[in-house]
Amino acid sequence: MKVLLYTEGEKMFSNSGLGKAIKHQMKALESVKVPYTTNKKDDYDIVHINFYGPNSYFLAKKARRKGKKVVYHAHSTEEDFRNGFIFCKQLAPLFKKWITKCYSLGDVIVTPTPYSKRLLEGYGITKKIYDISNGIELDLFKKDGKARERFRKKYNLSEDDKVIIGIGLYIERKGIVDFVELAKRLPEYKFIWFGYSPLSAATKDVRKAVNTKLPNLLFAGYVPQEVIRDAMNGCDIYLFPTFEETEGIPIIEACACKTTAIIRDIPIFEGWLEDGVNVYKAKNVDEFEDKIKKIINKELPLIGDKAYKIALDRDIKKVGKQLKEVYEEVMEKK
């Protein structure tokens, strides 16, 4: 059994959550010794498709004609597309129709969470859908005192500075506008946003937010995973004000580093992230502000240690075993 891992336009997405998910897939398959290739000219038994572009669509159709098995990975939904870049709201209904057409070419579909699985089922997709996490590299993301020191030194932060970090592309869905608003309201704390995408594709509100100049606000741009790990260890709070996700890899990385996190109270996180147990949740900017102040002032306890099990359950090695089981099941089907 040999798998073709195919991601159309992979270079374009290398710095995004999708790019990270693809790297995790490779490591997951290596951990369970499943042979794979990324070259579509190679021979293979199963094609595992990670994107919904036209090349992916026609590759899936070609593979089916040749009797190959197709596993379609549903990383995107209409819901997380809608509040992304400029014009996404207008294009969302067409996007839903297209991805439904693409995903339905799979013998089976894989998606990161039970939440995204329910969304896809609501589209009328009848193929079997597996919810399998994108996974976490526990060998890389972990609690590390030296990582904290590296982060504070790199960004010229004192030990007394209270630091809140955010991660994501410059898109409305990630909650970047609220992040900047919180930096305005809380000038006594440092706010650092990691991640980058061209502002030419961003909405007006996002462009305005990213162009905001505040002494306590830094847009650090795209950085390697090692810097994100150090930031998770070196910050006081990881803030995830996202409005929609299919999973949200950064919150799993925060859990792995035992970082106290505040997330938006949205359906994707129900059932695995619990308010006051392994994360804190907030519905709006006022609630985010209140939770930040209470954590910094020690009115709420640090609960990052309790979040570690979330990461442990999504270890890449476990993901590898789950994917292997899906492949074996697909190969057995006539």
Side-chain angles (χ1 to χ4, degrees):
M1 179 177 68
K2 187 174 181 180
V3 178
L4 166 61
L5 288 180
Y6 181 71
T7 309
E8 181 180 348
E10 185 176 355
K11 289 183 180 178
M12 183 170 64
F13 300 108
S14 60
N15 295 340
S16 69
L18 175 57
K20 189 174 286 188
I22 307 312
K23 291 170 187 169
H24 286 182
Q25 276 177 20
M26 294 176 182
K27 291 182 186 251
L29 296 193
E30 288 164 8
S31 73
V32 290
K33 296 180 171 55
V34 170
Y36 73 88
T37 179
T38 57
N39 184 351
K40 62 182 181 180
K41 293 181 181 179
D42 288 348
D43 190 29
Y44 61 90
D45 303 294
I46 301 170
V47 57
H48 185 150
I49 298 177
N50 283 287
F51 194 57
Y52 45 75
N55 291 341
S56 301
Y57 175 79
F58 289 116
L59 176 62
K61 295 200 78 165
K62 182 179 178 181
R64 289 178 70 90
R65 284 196 304 270
K66 288 186 171 183
K68 310 285 189 182
K69 301 297 185 179
V70 179
V71 173
Y72 221 118
H73 210 123
H75 293 283
S76 298
T77 63
E78 180 199 11
E79 286 74 8
D80 74 2
F81 176 83
R82 187 183 296 123
N83 289 315
F85 298 107
I86 194 169
F87 301 130
C88 282
K89 282 183 183 176
Q90 295 88 332
L91 293 171
L94 289 174
F95 179 78
K96 178 182 178 180
K97 288 181 181 179
W98 173 249
I99 60 172
T100 299
K101 189 175 182 179
C102 290
Y103 296 161
S104 295
L105 287 173
D107 290 285
V108 298
I109 299 166
V110 174
T111 196
T113 55
Y115 169 74
S116 54
K117 179 181 176 180
R118 288 195 299 274
L119 292 180
L120 296 175
E121 289 170 341
Y123 297 173
I125 294 173
T126 56
K127 298 295 178 72
K128 189 168 183 179
I129 305 173
Y130 297 85
D131 56 275
I132 299 175
S133 172
N134 286 314
I136 178 74
E137 292 183 74
L138 290 177
D139 293 337
L140 174 63
F141 284 90
K142 54 190 174 184
K143 190 75 173 174
D144 183 347
K146 290 183 179 178
R148 177 182 173 85
E149 292 173 19
R150 287 193 298 268
F151 168 70
R152 296 261 163 174
K153 184 177 180 181
K154 180 177 178 65
Y155 291 98
N156 298 312
L157 300 164
S158 73
E159 190 58 37
D160 294 330
D161 283 330
K162 304 303 179 186
V163 184
I164 294 95
I165 68 165
I167 301 168
L169 302 176
Y170 293 162
I171 55 178
E172 201 167 321
R173 173 172 65 82
K174 292 295 183 181
I176 193 169
V177 175
D178 284 356
F179 188 87
V180 172
E181 174 61 25
L182 288 162
K184 290 177 183 176
R185 293 188 183 192
L186 300 167
E188 64 273 33
Y189 307 144
K190 306 285 188 183
F191 287 77
I192 304 176
W193 184 275
F194 295 96
Y196 170 84
S197 55
L199 278 178
S200 58
T203 61
K204 181 180 177 181
D205 288 345
V206 170
R207 290 197 301 272
K208 183 179 178 181
V210 175
N211 286 319
T212 300
K213 305 298 181 188
L214 296 171
N216 67 322
L217 175 64
L218 172 66
F219 289 98
Y222 172 76
V223 297
Q225 284 195 97
E226 291 77 12
V227 176
I228 296 295
R229 174 208 52 212
D230 290 359
M232 288 292 191
N233 276 278
C235 70
D236 294 281
I237 298 170
Y238 168 57
L239 185 64
F240 199 25
T242 182
F243 287 92
E244 184 69 34
E245 297 289 328
T246 52
E247 182 172 43
I249 293 175
I251 187 59
I252 304 173
E253 292 170 346
C255 293
C257 295
K258 302 181 180 180
T259 307
T260 294
I262 311 175
I263 62 175
R264 195 177 298 273
D265 190 359
I266 53 176
I268 175 63
F269 300 130
E270 291 174 4
W272 57 294
L273 295 173
E274 300 179 63
D275 185 32
V277 177
N278 44 31
V279 296
Y280 290 108
K281 293 185 179 182
K283 289 185 171 65
N284 52 47
V285 176
D286 290 340
E287 290 188 11
F288 277 118
E289 181 182 8
D290 180 61
K291 291 281 174 77
I292 289 170
K293 286 179 177 177
K294 285 180 176 176
I295 292 168
I296 297 295
N297 294 327
K298 300 181 179 178
E299 294 171 37
L300 287 173
L302 302 179
I303 54 176
D305 285 354
K306 296 177 182 178
Y308 185 70
K309 188 178 183 303
I310 297 295
L312 201 61
D313 290 342
R314 290 157 180 80
D315 180 19
I316 268 181
K317 296 180 183 67
K318 290 187 178 181
V319 171
K321 290 177 183 177
Q322 290 172 310
L323 288 176
K324 185 178 181 181
E325 287 172 4
V326 170
Y327 297 153
E328 288 172 343
E329 185 175 323
V330 168
M331 287 301 294
E332 288 172 6
K333 287 183 178 179
K334 293 183 180 179

